[in-house]
């Protein structure tokens, strides 16, 4: 089954404790993204990757890092989480192409105390 | 920059009512337009899309027409069901650019 998986689905942590949210896709997609979803703001892109070893900032990259060492994986790293990073996070992937559909993971709800 | 505006809701309807969720956009060039749906506890799923002016996207009884003259892509369904309760996101993607999403519209359908 074609899918994007994320782990963990839920995470409660404390300020400053480094964490990683994993993302994996099995569709051989070149393009992967991370979004955060906040009430009233919709989805905002954090980082994206056009292919292995190619990453770039989205609209809200501050406080986040990513890496793309393999095509299928695109982890999101919070080196020193803060309460304003409490949010619902989605990973997504797609092939290149103007109208290509993005496939989303199930989401990770993060709470930073 | 590119942007998407949509009614935020919440929208509450009775089963079998007619649904319209308005979406307008600002973009350079001719973007592709999308509607995504998010059911409770899940990620977003593509509902329908349109890639050029006057195209109509349709799926599961939902429709939206790409109106370049009014820069709009309103979502409609003739008869909603309780199972349509979800959050609906309008989005665009211009050539070579990333997706831009609207704030989402929460729809509740009552039996």
């Amino acid at each position: 089954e074609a899918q994007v998986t994320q782990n963990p689905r839920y995470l409660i942590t404390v300020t400053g404790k480094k964490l990683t949210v994993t993302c994996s896709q099995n569709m051989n997609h070149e393009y992967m993204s991370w979004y955060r979803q906040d009430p009233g703001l919709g989805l905002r892109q954090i980082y994206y990757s056009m292919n292995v070893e190619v990453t770039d900032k989205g609209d809200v990259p501050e406080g986040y890092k990513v890496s793309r060492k393999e095509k299928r994986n695109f982890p999101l790293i919070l080196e020193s989480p803060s309460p304003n990073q409490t949010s619902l996070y989605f990973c997504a992937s797609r092939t290149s192409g103007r109208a290509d559909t993005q496939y989303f993971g199930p989401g990770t709800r993060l709470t930073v105390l | 920059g590119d942007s998407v505006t949509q009614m935020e809701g919440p929208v509450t309807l009775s089963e079998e009512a007619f649904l319209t969720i308005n979406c307008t956009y600002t973009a350079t060039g001719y973007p592709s337009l999308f509607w995504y749906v998010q059911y409770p506890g899940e990620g977003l799923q593509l509902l329908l899309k349109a890639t050029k002016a006057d195209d109509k996207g349709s799926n599961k009884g939902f429709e939206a027409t790409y109106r370049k003259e009014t820069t709009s892509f309103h979502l409609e369904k003739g008869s909603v069901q309780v199972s349509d309760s979800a959050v609906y996101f309008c989005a665009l993607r211009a050539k070579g650019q990333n997706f831009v999403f609207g704030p989402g519209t929460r729809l509740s359908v009552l039996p």
Side-chain angles (χ1 to χ4, degrees):
Chain A
E1 180 191 353
Q3 61 182 353
V4 179
T5 58
Q6 296 178 226
N7 282 292
R9 294 290 312 277
Y10 302 90
L11 179 60
I12 301 174
T13 188
V14 295
T15 299
K17 186 175 181 182
K18 181 179 178 179
L19 66 92
T20 298
V21 183
T22 64
C23 172
S24 183
Q25 50 94 4
N26 63 1
M27 295 168 278
N28 202 37
H29 287 165
E30 296 89 6
Y31 187 101
M32 297 184 75
S33 289
W34 275 103
Y35 295 89
R36 60 178 291 173
Q37 182 182 10
D38 301 290
L41 297 176
L43 274 75
R44 294 179 293 169
Q45 191 176 51
I46 302 170
Y47 268 95
Y48 64 95
S49 170
M50 303 284 282
N51 214 323
V52 175
E53 302 292 2
V54 180
T55 63
D56 208 347
K57 296 177 181 178
D59 298 319
V60 287
E62 294 78 18
Y64 305 94
K65 285 175 57 177
V66 292
S67 69
R68 188 89 182 274
K69 293 183 170 58
E70 304 166 282
K71 197 172 188 179
R72 63 182 291 126
N73 296 324
F74 190 44
L76 180 69
I77 303 156
L78 284 72
E79 295 268 3
S80 182
S82 62
N84 64 11
Q85 293 178 297
T86 293
S87 187
L88 180 58
Y89 291 87
F90 289 100
C91 181
S93 74
R94 64 174 174 82
T95 57
S96 59
R98 185 163 177 264
D100 264 10
T101 302
Q102 281 203 106
Y103 294 85
F104 284 83
T108 295
R109 185 165 292 282
L110 172 66
T111 301
V112 183
L113 302 175
Chain B
D2 297 348
S3 65
V4 175
T5 302
Q6 61 179 112
M7 49 194 297
E8 291 196 33
V11 174
T12 302
L13 297 173
S14 298
E15 205 164 25
E16 299 184 2
F18 184 86
L19 169 71
T20 300
I21 300 177
N22 290 336
C23 171
T24 57
Y25 67 90
T26 302
T28 54
Y30 303 98
S32 295
L33 302 175
F34 305 80
W35 276 100
Y36 279 82
V37 59
Q38 183 182 27
Y39 298 105
E42 298 183 11
L44 280 72
Q45 306 172 24
L46 178 69
L47 182 59
L48 52 85
K49 65 183 180 184
T51 60
K52 61 183 186 298
D54 300 324
D55 267 3
K56 177 186 282 188
S58 61
N59 186 25
K60 299 182 181 179
F62 291 88
E63 292 183 341
T65 302
Y66 190 139
R67 301 286 187 202
K68 181 173 174 292
E69 64 277 13
T70 55
T71 61
S72 64
F73 193 54
H74 304 321
L75 182 68
E76 296 182 335
K77 187 175 185 182
S79 176
V80 294
Q81 306 300 311
V82 172
S83 58
D84 292 327
S85 298
V87 181
Y88 292 82
F89 292 90
C90 186
L92 67 82
R93 181 168 173 259
K95 184 179 180 180
Q97 302 298 315
N98 292 318
F99 276 80
V100 175
F101 287 85
T105 300
R106 182 175 298 278
L107 170 66
S108 295
V109 180
L110 305 178

